[in-house]
């Protein structure tokens, strides 16, 4: 589940006017073609996560991927995306959003080809990391291009279309991945889930080059490459031992490496303080953490990302390997969940949050936790005989809870942030959610594979995976309880951001939190 926000400088909304770019409505239809192009790119990124999850068991079987390689196929993408997200946004502000968008979508398409033609699991993992890095260049430009191309009074309609794309991506991703894997086109097994990006990406690149207008920020912040390096190093030192530890027998160097990650993060804080004092363009604006609601919201985003990272990978392995279901059956089983998330997300933003404020998010955490416990009970009660229709109720309950959280959370976190820091705050929110997701995927080695024996007979696989799934659900339920406690520090009534004129509505504050 990814939040679609942008790390933008507060002056971005006036960018086009200051540079004489296209802002006012014109008879020229190219801006609507530009919108279709960037929406296509956003859809590719949204679908890519869910489409890969559903194909993981097939990749494991045919490519002979190890447990840690399975985790890195997904976690590597999330880590690269998180590490490059803010930097990608600032590169677009400095060098041009169209230019960075074209580089990003071109690189994403190339990385998709490398994934599809990977000759071994190592190449697939490396290609996925590259794909995540290219997504970090591409995704931040999407809403920036919208802001630079459409006037304020038209953006509400545009963001409504984005919401529809998010819902479509949530539903179609698992189904598309299941169908492509099940059909085994040309004997390629799982590879078409990546290769399908090639014609779409090439067409989007060619059309984008012609129809998207260039835009830059008038006062773009400088890059903080040292900050990016420290964040990436710290996460690698934490995640690598987590994913490899079980296979290697939890060696001493793994614990030392994880402890060293804390020192790296401490060095990051020290460096960011000095950089903020020196040139005012740190990767992480530490002064934001003095705002209680923002600090709590960042914690909620991170921990929520951990929960999602654990659940979605474990859920896929449980259905396809533990229960022996086909990818198509597993994909169809998840449809009620996706529909529930989309429906609840729209309801929460439009009707519930304006009336009940923070209570809606707290109710979402309670409802989602209840759905997890209901799923846990059913998994225990029915065991290997559980049917898809029996999973529908807990999945719908979980989906409703998630929908109540994901849509309004970003506004709640940003509502007490000073206006001048809204851009960097929104970028940080998306970054930490991806980092949490990567951490959750790393923890799968502990909370799921750690419960499965190394040498299982064919008859033991099913029961072992069912037991491990139940154990992982206890973790997810516990994480939801922590999230509920953290939410008490969010503002009771999140500020309602309303689109206004460019001079009144800094772009960094007005972007919707679209999620998948």
């Amino acid at each position: 589940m990814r939040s679609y926000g942008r790390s933008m400088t507060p002056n971005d909304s006036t960018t086009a006017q200051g540079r004489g770019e296209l802002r006012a409505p014109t008879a020229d239809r190219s801006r609507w073609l530009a919108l279709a192009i960037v929406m296509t790119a956003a859809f590719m990124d949204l679908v890519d996560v869910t489409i890969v999850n559903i194909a993981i068991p097939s990749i494991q079987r045919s490519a002979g991927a190890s447990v840690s390689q399975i985790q890195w196929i997904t976690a590597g993408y999330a880590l690269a995306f998180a590490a490059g997200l803010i930097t990608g946004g600032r590169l677009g502000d400095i060098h041009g959003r169209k230019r960075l968008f074209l580089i990003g979508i071109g690189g994403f398409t190339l990385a998709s080809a490398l994934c599809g033609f990977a000759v071994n699991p190592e190449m697939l993992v490396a290609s996925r990391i590259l794909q995540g890095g290219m997504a970090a260049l591409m995704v931040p430009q999407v809403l920036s291009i919208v802001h630079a191309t459409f006037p304020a009074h038209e953006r509400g309609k545009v963001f409504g279309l984005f919401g529809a794309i998010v819902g479509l991506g949530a539903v179609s991703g698992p189904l598309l991945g299941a169908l492509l894997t099940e059909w085994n086109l040309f004997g390629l097994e799982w590879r078409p889930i990546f290769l399908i990006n090639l014609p779409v990406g090439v067409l989007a690149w060619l059309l984008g080059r012609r129809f998207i207008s260039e835009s830059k920020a008038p006062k773009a912040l400088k890059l903080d490459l040292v900050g990016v390096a420290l964040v990436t190093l710290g996460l690698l030192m934490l995640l690598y031992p987590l994913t490899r530890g079980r296979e290697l027998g939890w060696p001493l160097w793994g614990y030392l490496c994880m402890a060293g990650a804390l020192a790296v993060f401490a060095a990051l804080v020290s460096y960011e303080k000095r950089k903020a004092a020196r040139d005012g363009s740190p990767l992480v604006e530490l002064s934001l953490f003095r705002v209680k609601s923002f600090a709590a919201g960042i914690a909620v985003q991170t921990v929520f990302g951990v929960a999602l990272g654990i659940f979605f990978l474990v859920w896929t392995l449980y259905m396809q390997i533990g229960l022996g279901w086909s990818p198509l059956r597993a994909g169809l089983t998840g449809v009620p969940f996706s529909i529930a998330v989309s429906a609840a997300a729209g309801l929460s933003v439009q009707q519930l949050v304006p009336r009940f404020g923070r209570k809606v998010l707290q109710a979402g955490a309670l409802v989602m936790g209840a759905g997890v416990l209901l799923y846990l009970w059913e998994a225990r009660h029915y065991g290997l005989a559980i049917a898809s229709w029996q999973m529908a109720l807990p999945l719908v309950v979980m989906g409703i809870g998630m929908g109540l959280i994901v849509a309004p959370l970003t506004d709640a976190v940003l509502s007490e942030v000073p206006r001048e820091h809204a851009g960097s705050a929104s970028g940080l929110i998306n970054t930490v959610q991806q980092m949490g997701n990567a951490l959750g995927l790393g923890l799968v080695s502990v909370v799921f594979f750690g419960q499965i024996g190394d040498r299982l007979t064919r008859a033991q696989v099913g029961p072992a995976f069912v037991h491990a799934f139940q154990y992982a659900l206890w973790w997810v339920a516990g994480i939801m309880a922590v999230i509920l406690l953290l939410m008490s520090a969010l503002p009771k009534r999140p500020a309602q951001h309303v689109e206004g004129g460019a001079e009144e509505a800094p772009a960094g504050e007005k972007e919707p939190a679209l999620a998948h």
Side-chain angles (χ1 to χ4, degrees), residues 13-25:
S13 59
T14 58
T15 295
Q17 290 177 341
R19 297 181 60 85
E21 293 155 4
L22 178 62
R23 291 287 294 199

Side-chain angles (χ1 to χ4, degrees), residues 119-140:
V119 296
N120 53 46
E122 291 82 6
M123 181 177 173
L124 180 56
V125 169
S127 301
R128 282 286 287 168
I129 292 172
L130 175 63
Q131 195 180 35
M134 292 298 104
L137 296 181
M138 173 180 71
V139 168

Side-chain angles (χ1 to χ4, degrees), residues 95-104 141 205 214-216:
H95 298 292
R97 291 152 190 155
K98 174 183 178 179
R99 178 183 297 179
L100 263 292
F101 176 81
L102 294 177
I103 292 172
Q141 319 311 325
W205 188 90
E214 185 60 280
S215 65
K216 297 180 182 179

Side-chain angles (χ1 to χ4, degrees), residues 173-313:
L175 285 179
L176 184 60
L179 288 171
L180 290 174
T181 305
E182 189 94 349
W183 288 338
N184 190 20
L185 298 173
F186 309 108
L188 293 174
E189 297 179 322
W190 50 268
R191 298 176 187 275
I193 69 169
F194 298 111
L195 298 178
I196 194 173
N197 288 335
L198 270 60
V200 179
V202 169
L203 183 61
W205 188 90
L206 291 172
L207 293 177
R209 186 179 177 189
R210 178 176 179 183
F211 292 109
I212 295 176
S213 298
E214 185 60 280
S215 65
K216 297 180 182 179
K219 295 180 181 179
L221 295 173
K222 297 178 181 179
L223 293 179
D224 181 9
L225 296 178
V226 174
V228 173
L230 287 173
V231 167
T232 307
L233 176 62
L235 284 170
L236 283 173
M237 290 175 67
L238 185 62
L239 290 175
Y240 186 76
L242 277 177
T243 54
R244 294 298 310 280
R246 174 180 170 273
E247 293 181 43
L248 300 176
W250 298 108
L252 177 61
W253 66 261
Y255 292 103
L256 294 175
C257 195
M258 287 187 281
L262 298 178
V264 172
F265 289 131
L268 172 67
V269 171
S270 176
Y271 174 80
E272 294 298 287
K273 286 180 179 178
R274 294 197 303 272
K275 184 162 179 63
R278 186 169 65 245
D279 59 21
S281 59
L283 178 70
V284 180
E285 184 60 58
L286 297 176
S287 64
L288 291 170
F289 290 92
R290 299 192 192 108
V291 180
K292 179 184 175 184
S293 60
F294 179 79
I298 284 292
V300 169
Q301 287 279 16
T302 305
V303 178
F304 194 48
V306 172
L308 300 183
I310 292 173
F311 176 75
F312 285 111
L313 179 56

